[in-house]
Amino acid sequence: MAANATTVTPSTTAARTPNKGLRWLRRNIITLAGLTTLAYLVLPNVIVMVFSFNKPNGRFNYQWQRFSTDAWTDPCGVADLCGSLGLSLQIAVWATVGATVLGTMIAFALARYRFRARAGVNTLIFLPMAMPEVVMAASLATLFLNMGIQFGFWTILIAHIMFCLSFVVTAVKARVMSMDPRLEQAAQDLYASPVQTFLRVTLPIAAPGIASGALLSFALSFDDFIITNFNAGSTVTFPMFVWGSAQRGTPVQINVIGTAMFLVAVLCVVVGQLAGKRRKRS
C-alpha cells in the first residue's frame, strides 16, 4: 500500500493549476472576446446615459458635477432641439419608405431577371457603399447647384434616398436569392394568381430582408451628417444641431435624446428576439 501510493507534492498541484486555467481560457476565449467587444461598443452609450443626469456648472457637459433630473423633465428646454429632432425623424421616415420601395423592386429585378446591363447595375449599386461620403455629398451638391434646386428639405430627402438605396438592395437581394423557387411554383400549381403568389408566398419570405433594409435605412438617414451638411442649406437636422452645439456648449438634453434613442433601439431588439423565439416554439 505504501509503495503504490502516489505522493502529491505542492509543485505537482501548482503544475496542474495553470493547465486547468489554460484549458478554461481556451474553452471560453471566444465568449470573452465577444463580451469585451460588446463592452467596448456599449461603453459610450453608458457614458451618454450617465451624463444625461448631470448638472454641469458651465455650458459643456463633459465633467460630472452633481446628479439632476432637470434635463429629463424638460427635454425640449433648448431652443430648436426638438424641432431639429422632428425634422430628422420626418426625413428618416420618408427616406426609408422611398429607399425601401425602390430598393426592393431593384433587388427583385437583379435577382430574378437577366438583362445586358445587369453587371453594370450591380456595380453602380455597390459604389455608394464603397465611396467616401464626402465624395457623394459634394457630387450631389454640385448636381443640385447645376440644376438650380434650392437646398433644403427636398435636397436632403433625395440625397438620403440615394445613399440608403444601396443598402436596401443588398439586404433584399441576398434574401431573394436564397428563396426556393419551388415554393412559388407550388402556389401556381394550386391555381394561385401572380398577385396571390406574391402576397402570400414571395413577400412573406422576403419580408425579413425588406425589414432589415428598412431599419438600416432609417438608422443611416437619421444619423447622417456629412451628406446632410453639404445639401441642407439653412435647414438644421438633429446631427447638425449636435455638431453646432458642440462648438458653443453641449446641453444635457442632447444626452437625454441619445439615451432615449438607445433604449428604444434596445427595446426593439429585445421584442424582436422574443417574437422570434415564440414563433419557433409554435
Side-chain angles (χ1 to χ4, degrees):
M1 296 291 291
N4 295 331
T6 302
T7 304
V8 179
T9 61
S11 60
T12 306
T13 305
R16 290 178 180 176
T17 303
N19 292 334
K20 291 182 179 179
L22 185 60
R23 287 196 299 269
W24 181 89
L25 182 62
R26 289 176 178 175
R27 289 196 304 267
N28 299 276
I29 185 65
I30 297 178
T31 303
L32 292 175
L35 292 176
T36 303
T37 304
L38 182 63
Y40 177 77
L41 294 175
V42 174
L43 182 60
N45 297 289
V46 174
I47 295 176
V48 169
M49 188 181 303
V50 170
F51 275 82
S52 67
F53 295 97
N54 187 27
K55 183 73 173 180
N57 294 328
R59 297 178 299 170
F60 295 95
N61 186 27
Y62 297 152
Q63 293 182 349
W64 180 264
Q65 301 295 333
R66 57 187 182 276
F67 180 84
S68 175
T69 59
D70 294 342
W72 282 93
T73 57
D74 188 18
C76 296
V78 181
D80 298 329
L81 173 61
C82 287
S84 63
L85 177 63
L87 179 62
S88 290
L89 290 173
Q90 185 180 0
I91 293 174
V93 169
W94 286 112
T96 300
V97 172
T100 302
V101 173
L102 294 175
T104 301
M105 292 189 293
I106 295 173
F108 271 94
L110 293 175
R112 294 293 181 85
Y113 299 98
R114 299 292 184 268
F115 48 92
R116 290 185 177 180
R118 184 169 178 267
V121 173
N122 278 320
T123 303
L124 292 175
I125 290 298
F126 179 75
L127 280 179
M129 294 189 295
M131 185 186 304
E133 284 194 25
V134 66
V135 176
M136 186 174 183
S139 301
L140 288 170
T142 304
L143 174 66
F144 294 140
L145 284 173
N146 290 331
M147 296 182 64
I149 300 176
Q150 184 177 2
F151 289 106
F153 176 86
W154 292 107
T155 54
I156 298 175
L157 180 60
I158 294 172
H160 283 204
I161 291 176
M162 290 188 67
F163 79 82
C164 289
L165 193 63
S166 300
F167 296 92
V168 176
V169 172
T170 303
V172 178
K173 181 184 174 184
R175 182 66 178 178
V176 173
M177 293 184 67
S178 65
M179 292 171 54
D180 189 353
R182 292 175 296 182
L183 296 174
E184 296 174 319
Q185 295 172 4
Q188 295 172 2
D189 291 339
L190 295 173
Y191 302 103
S193 64
V195 176
Q196 290 176 328
T197 302
F198 178 79
L199 294 178
R200 297 188 179 185
V201 179
T202 307
L203 187 59
I205 297 176
I210 298 174
S212 61
L215 292 175
L216 185 60
S217 296
F218 182 86
L220 291 172
S221 175
F222 183 84
D223 188 55
D224 181 77
F225 171 77
I226 297 177
I227 295 178
T228 304
N229 190 39
F230 271 78
N231 299 277
S234 59
T235 305
V236 179
T237 61
F238 183 70
M240 296 178 64
F241 179 87
V242 174
W243 178 81
S245 299
Q247 311 302 315
R248 57 184 182 274
T250 309
V252 185
Q253 283 80 357
I254 292 179
N255 295 67
V256 173
I257 300 299
T259 301
M261 292 168 54
F262 174 72
L263 294 178
V264 170
V266 172
L267 180 62
C268 291
V269 172
V270 172
V271 171
Q273 292 293 329
L274 294 176
K277 290 182 179 180
R278 181 173 297 181
R279 285 196 301 268
K280 291 180 179 179
R281 291 176 181 176
S282 60

